[in-house]
Amino acid sequence: MKKKLIYLLISLMFTLNIGAQNQQKFSPEKFDAELHEFITSQAKLTPQEATKFFPIYKEMQGKQRAIYEKQRILGMQRPHDESSCLKAIRERDAIDLELKRIQQCYHEKFLEIMPASKLYEVLQAEDRFHRRMLRRFNRPNTQMPQMNQQNQGNQNQQWRWPGGGNRQGNQK
């Protein structure tokens, strides 16, 4: 009986060790590079537009991250009486409005760089990218999305995502 238990423990440790080695660490730099590449491709940004757009976009993201941190902190609080619940609700609303004001301000800046139709495509591409990355991170042992190798020199590049499909087939 002891031998079986020892063998079981050793095999369990071996299995856990292999599983831990297969996990990829999140790289913010790689994530941003993939996001920029995806947005540029999907919205068909010219190099000039991309050069002007992404520094402003990064500035907007920095401001949004500060707001998201406020949301996270507020979400961890557990009010226990009516007045603190009311205060938390009003703080949430104020944070949401602040986030929307930031987006609105930066959308105006983006419109100075590109036409509204391209900005709309940028916003759609950003949403698609984040939804798909959330799905990817929720699936164990999947790879980052890659450009289809045969289309890399082609203007109409197709993205291949884990689980199959492409831009047209996976929109939600």
Side-chain angles (χ1 to χ4, degrees), residues 128-141:
R128 280 192 303 271
F129 182 83
H130 286 115
R131 277 195 310 271
R132 290 174 181 174
M133 291 307 273
L134 282 172
R135 272 188 250 136
R136 183 200 152 258
F137 285 121
N138 285 330
R139 284 188 215 145
N141 297 326

Side-chain angles (χ1 to χ4, degrees), residues 67 71 90-104:
I67 303 298
Q71 283 180 328
R90 289 190 174 144
E91 285 180 36
R92 270 182 109 139
D93 290 345
I95 288 171
D96 288 344
L97 290 172
E98 186 177 357
L99 185 60
K100 284 300 174 186
R101 277 192 289 275
I102 289 170
Q103 289 174 343
Q104 187 177 29

Side-chain angles (χ1 to χ4, degrees), residues 106-171:
Y106 278 91
H107 290 171
E108 292 300 321
K109 290 181 182 183
F110 297 147
L111 288 170
E112 294 173 8
I113 298 169
M114 65 183 70
S117 57
K118 275 213 178 165
L119 178 56
Y120 186 81
E121 289 299 318
V122 165
L123 298 174
Q124 295 284 49
E126 179 187 31
D127 288 344
R128 280 192 303 271
F129 182 83
H130 286 115
R131 277 195 310 271
R132 290 174 181 174
M133 291 307 273
L134 282 172
R135 272 188 250 136
R136 183 200 152 258
F137 285 121
N138 285 330
R139 284 188 215 145
N141 297 326
T142 56
Q143 297 176 352
M144 290 289 282
Q146 298 290 323
M147 293 294 287
N148 187 346
Q149 295 298 320
Q150 64 196 19
N151 290 335
Q152 286 209 340
N154 190 346
Q155 290 290 81
N156 296 325
Q157 296 173 339
Q158 294 291 313
W159 284 81
R160 301 292 177 206
W161 292 94
N166 60 23
R167 178 177 176 228
Q168 290 80 19
N170 269 354
Q171 288 182 345

Side-chain angles (χ1 to χ4, degrees), residues 18-125:
I18 289 174
Q21 289 175 357
N22 288 338
Q23 291 180 350
Q24 294 178 348
K25 296 208 181 230
F26 176 74
S27 166
E29 296 81 18
K30 188 174 181 180
F31 182 86
D32 284 344
E34 292 281 339
L35 174 64
H36 291 190
E37 186 179 347
F38 185 80
I39 287 173
T40 301
S41 170
Q42 297 298 299
K44 297 176 180 67
L45 296 181
T46 65
Q48 296 81 12
E49 289 170 333
T51 302
K52 292 177 184 176
F53 171 75
F54 284 111
I56 298 170
Y57 180 76
K58 190 171 184 167
E59 182 182 307
M60 179 185 76
Q61 284 184 316
K63 290 183 180 180
Q64 287 177 324
R65 281 190 187 106
I67 303 298
Y68 295 144
E69 181 62 17
K70 286 181 188 178
Q71 283 180 328
R72 188 185 69 77
I73 290 169
L74 185 62
M76 292 185 332
Q77 296 174 358
R78 299 289 175 236
H80 297 292
D81 59 12
E82 283 298 309
S83 64
S84 59
C85 286
L86 181 61
K87 181 181 175 192
I89 290 168
R90 289 190 174 144
E91 285 180 36
R92 270 182 109 139
D93 290 345
I95 288 171
D96 288 344
L97 290 172
E98 186 177 357
L99 185 60
K100 284 300 174 186
R101 277 192 289 275
I102 289 170
Q103 289 174 343
Q104 187 177 29
C105 173
Y106 278 91
H107 290 171
E108 292 300 321
K109 290 181 182 183
F110 297 147
L111 288 170
E112 294 173 8
I113 298 169
M114 65 183 70
S117 57
K118 275 213 178 165
L119 178 56
Y120 186 81
E121 289 299 318
V122 165
L123 298 174
Q124 295 284 49

